[in-house]
Amino acid sequence: MLRALLDEAEEETVTLEWVIGHLRDRSFGIIMLLIAVIGLLPGLSPLAGVLMLFPALQMMKAHGGPVLPRRIAERQISKEKLARMIKRTVPVLRFMERFVRPRWRTPFEATKRVIGLVMLLLAATMLAPVPFSHVIPALVIILLAFAFLEEDGILLCIALLAALVSFAITATAVWGAVELGLTL
């Protein structure tokens, strides 16, 4: 699908809006994946958490695809740069597709709404200014993105279970901080 995207690009530059439009149903998964990868970077997790709120809310409202702010949507990407990004991404996706494939299909719209809600909650946990607290939610969002992209119900179940574990860890950390604050 990503290689076909390059063939469809008629101009020397494309906009992010054009890319999202051509990815169709898969655009939410790609956006989730990109933001989660950004969220893994130290110091950028609060930004990723805020950015993740937008596609999460849109998924919960069952939008056809993510709607980016005009300033971001109109950002130009050269076809050459897009080709380099796709060239680096395709081998990783091919490796992942060995394990992630369509299984246990779920109703697409219902799944989109549930994933949106879980992403919203995970994004909120990424906002905490606690070192390394963003890693588990970002990894869970990556699992959710792959499950959504490949319509893999088994991976979706695993990702939702991992989300519950992530929420439990966050709740424990918050509870510990509150208890520590009360003892001081």
Side-chain angles (χ1 to χ4, degrees), residues 20 71 85 87 129 131:
I20 287 171
R71 188 174 181 167
M85 289 185 331
K87 185 178 179 182

Side-chain angles (χ1 to χ4, degrees), residues 43-47 123-134 170 173-174 177:
L44 293 181
S45 64
L47 173 65
T125 65
M126 291 176 69
L127 298 174
V130 179
F132 303 110
S133 66
H134 63 284
T170 301
V174 168

Side-chain angles (χ1 to χ4, degrees), residues 68-98:
L68 299 173
R70 179 74 26 215
R71 188 174 181 167
I72 294 172
E74 292 177 349
R75 176 155 246 150
Q76 298 278 323
I77 303 171
S78 72
K79 190 174 175 181
E80 180 183 314
K81 187 174 186 176
L82 183 62
R84 284 194 313 262
M85 289 185 331
I86 290 173
K87 185 178 179 182
R88 285 187 293 224
T89 305
V90 166
V92 175
L93 293 177
R94 282 200 195 282
F95 176 77
M96 289 300 295
E97 284 179 344
R98 289 186 198 167

Side-chain angles (χ1 to χ4, degrees), residues 139-154:
L139 291 174
V140 172
I141 291 171
I142 289 171
L143 282 178
L144 284 169
F146 276 117
F148 184 77
L149 283 168
E150 293 295 328
E151 297 180 16
D152 187 342
I154 292 174

